[in-house]
């Protein structure tokens, strides 16, 4: 990956995915990489609010010895009308070589990648509802740590707003590349994406059927604006039909794991007893985010 952007997991070879996950596991196990990015400046360029992803990338870059700059759109010249391209070019002119970018528009980071100087690397920290590649990688690392590397043996249930989820799209790209062949998706029809996005998945209408015998349950945040758009009748109805509760988790395998990319709407897509229960790996996902982002930054920027 040296010198290459990471914009998507679509089309990434399994060997490349495994290499990143292997290196991330080394970092998760405590491998020391101080100095790997010494003298390299990395900017977290976020045009959309974030907590976990931004802080995780900052922590990862610090552990690699990079100089870290944090860009906050709310207090920047973008509020005065400066374009995203001009913002990036100005920071790039200060000698910044790596940009971690989050944007609310689909494809915005790919467009920015077309205007940067040779040697500048962009990493997609989430764009619109398109892709969130490092979230997909950290989810795969979390699954691999608990279920092993043979994804073909796993039954995976993805529940929630898949239509608007960049996390789901990246997860599906990674799962297919890693050999998963029993992926069940469950959501209201209004929150399902196009057929191409769901290629290779089984669409299951009833949540009980989706969870039956599952090894991995991946639940997604319900964005409350979907209610205003009329895509969901009410939060209560959604929780009744698609919320992950302890009773519903009993339908999955006894050693099934529960994942959520955050932020959680407790009592909507997931109940407290599941979010805080023994099967929940939500905080491990957060911890793995630092390790995965270290692996990605090192692969992209360490010469």
């Amino acid at each position: 990956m040296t010198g290459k952007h990471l914009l998507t997991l679509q089309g990434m070879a399994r060997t490349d995915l495994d290499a990143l996950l292997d290196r991330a596991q080394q970092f998760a196990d405590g491998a020391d990489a101080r100095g790997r990015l010494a003298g390299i400046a990395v900017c977290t360029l976020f045009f959309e609010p974030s907590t976990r992803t931004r802080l995780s990338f900052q922590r990862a870059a610090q552990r690699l010895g990079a100089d870290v700059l944090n860009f906050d759109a709310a207090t920047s010249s973008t509020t005065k009308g400066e374009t995203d391209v001009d913002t990036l070019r100005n920071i790039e002119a200060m000698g910044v070589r790596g940009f971690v970018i989050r944007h609310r528009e689909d494809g915005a980071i790919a467009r920015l990648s077309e205007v940067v100087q040779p040697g500048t690397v962009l990493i997609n920290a989430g764009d619109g509802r398109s892709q969130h590649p490092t979230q997909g990688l950290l989810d795969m690392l979390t699954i691999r740590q608990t279920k092993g590397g043979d994804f073909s043996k796993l039954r995976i249930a993805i529940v929630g707003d898949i239509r608007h989820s960049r996390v789901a799209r990246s997860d599906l790209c990674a799962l297919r590349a890693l050999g998963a062949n029993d992926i069940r998706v469950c959501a209201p029809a209004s929150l399902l994406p196009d057929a191409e996005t769901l290629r290779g998945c089984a669409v299951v209408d009833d949540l009980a059927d989706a969870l039956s015998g599952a090894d991995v349950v991946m639940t997604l945040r319900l964005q409350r604006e979907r209610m205003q758009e009329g895509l969901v009748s009410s939060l209560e109805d959604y929780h009744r039909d698609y919320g992950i509760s302890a009773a519903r988790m009993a339908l999955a395998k006894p050693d099934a794991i529960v994942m959520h990319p955050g932020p959680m709407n407790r009592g909507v897509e997931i109940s407290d007893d599941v979010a805080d229960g023994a099967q929940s790996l939500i905080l491990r996902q957060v911890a793995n985010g630092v390790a995965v982002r270290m692996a990605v930054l090192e692969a992209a920027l360490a010469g």
Side-chain angles (χ1 to χ4, degrees), residues 58-124:
Q58 290 176 352
R59 180 67 179 135
Q62 290 168 348
R63 285 186 59 186
L64 293 167
D67 300 322
V68 184
L69 292 79
N70 177 41
F71 170 90
D72 182 0
T75 58
S76 76
S77 292
T78 58
T79 61
K80 303 176 183 179
E82 184 174 82
T83 68
D84 298 349
V85 170
D86 283 337
T87 296
L88 186 149
R89 283 175 166 166
N90 275 276
I91 300 173
E92 188 182 33
M94 300 175 192
V96 175
R97 184 178 163 197
F99 289 86
V100 178
I101 306 178
R102 171 168 285 198
H103 206 290
R104 59 178 48 86
E105 296 179 11
D106 293 352
I109 303 168
R111 291 191 292 273
L112 289 173
S113 72
E114 297 172 356
V115 302
V116 298
Q117 297 296 318
T120 296
V121 172
L122 307 189
I123 296 170
N124 183 352

Side-chain angles (χ1 to χ4, degrees), residues 7-301:
L7 305 178
T8 178
L9 295 184
Q10 181 70 46
M12 182 177 284
R14 177 165 189 168
T15 52
D16 294 329
L17 279 167
D18 281 332
L20 285 171
L21 295 176
D22 288 344
R23 185 57 170 154
Q25 186 61 57
Q26 292 176 357
F27 288 134
D29 291 338
D32 185 1
R34 287 173 294 180
R36 286 291 286 149
L37 297 185
I40 295 176
V42 175
C43 179
T44 53
L45 188 61
F46 279 46
F47 297 99
E48 184 183 57
S50 168
T51 301
R52 278 161 300 279
T53 302
R54 179 172 58 83
L55 292 178
S56 179
F57 266 112
Q58 290 176 352
R59 180 67 179 135
Q62 290 168 348
R63 285 186 59 186
L64 293 167
D67 300 322
V68 184
L69 292 79
N70 177 41
F71 170 90
D72 182 0
T75 58
S76 76
S77 292
T78 58
T79 61
K80 303 176 183 179
E82 184 174 82
T83 68
D84 298 349
V85 170
D86 283 337
T87 296
L88 186 149
R89 283 175 166 166
N90 275 276
I91 300 173
E92 188 182 33
M94 300 175 192
V96 175
R97 184 178 163 197
F99 289 86
V100 178
I101 306 178
R102 171 168 285 198
H103 206 290
R104 59 178 48 86
E105 296 179 11
D106 293 352
I109 303 168
R111 291 191 292 273
L112 289 173
S113 72
E114 297 172 356
V115 302
V116 298
Q117 297 296 318
T120 296
V121 172
L122 307 189
I123 296 170
N124 183 352
D127 65 323
R129 58 185 185 185
S130 175
Q131 282 280 317
H132 195 348
T134 58
Q135 181 71 44
L137 289 168
L138 74 88
D139 287 347
M140 298 308 107
L141 180 64
T142 304
I143 294 172
R144 197 170 78 160
Q145 287 171 343
T146 53
K147 298 299 179 183
D150 189 352
F151 281 68
S152 68
K153 295 181 178 179
L154 300 178
R155 177 171 294 173
I156 299 164
I158 302 178
V159 182
D161 186 1
I162 302 167
R163 177 178 175 181
H164 302 96
S165 175
R166 56 195 173 203
V167 172
R169 285 170 173 80
S170 288
D171 280 340
L172 288 170
C173 289
L175 287 169
R176 284 190 285 256
L178 293 171
N181 52 36
D182 190 351
I183 306 171
R184 303 175 179 187
V185 298
C186 185
S190 59
L191 298 181
L192 287 172
D194 59 90
E196 176 56 27
T197 299
L198 296 179
R199 175 175 50 84
C201 302
V203 177
V204 181
D205 295 329
D206 186 77
L207 182 58
D209 292 337
L211 297 179
S212 178
D215 299 283
V216 178
V217 178
M218 308 174 79
T219 185
L220 301 167
R221 181 172 69 94
L222 178 67
Q223 300 174 32
R224 291 175 183 259
E225 57 266 33
R226 304 310 164 210
M227 284 187 59
Q228 299 169 3
E229 296 170 2
L231 300 179
V232 177
S233 57
S234 72
L235 298 181
E236 293 76 17
D237 287 349
Y238 182 88
H239 182 68
R240 181 196 65 211
D241 296 333
Y242 298 99
I244 305 301
S245 63
R248 283 178 166 150
M249 278 304 300
L251 300 170
K253 290 184 179 177
D255 62 348
I257 61 173
V258 178
M259 303 169 66
H260 192 299
M264 292 183 287
N265 292 308
R266 290 171 177 263
V268 179
E269 65 258 6
I270 191 167
S271 62
D272 287 340
D273 52 358
V274 176
D276 301 324
Q279 292 172 285
S280 171
L281 295 186
I282 295 170
L283 291 180
R284 188 189 292 197
Q285 289 173 267
V286 177
N288 281 337
V290 177
V292 159
R293 285 154 184 150
M294 287 178 71
V296 167
L297 287 168
E298 180 190 52
L301 292 167

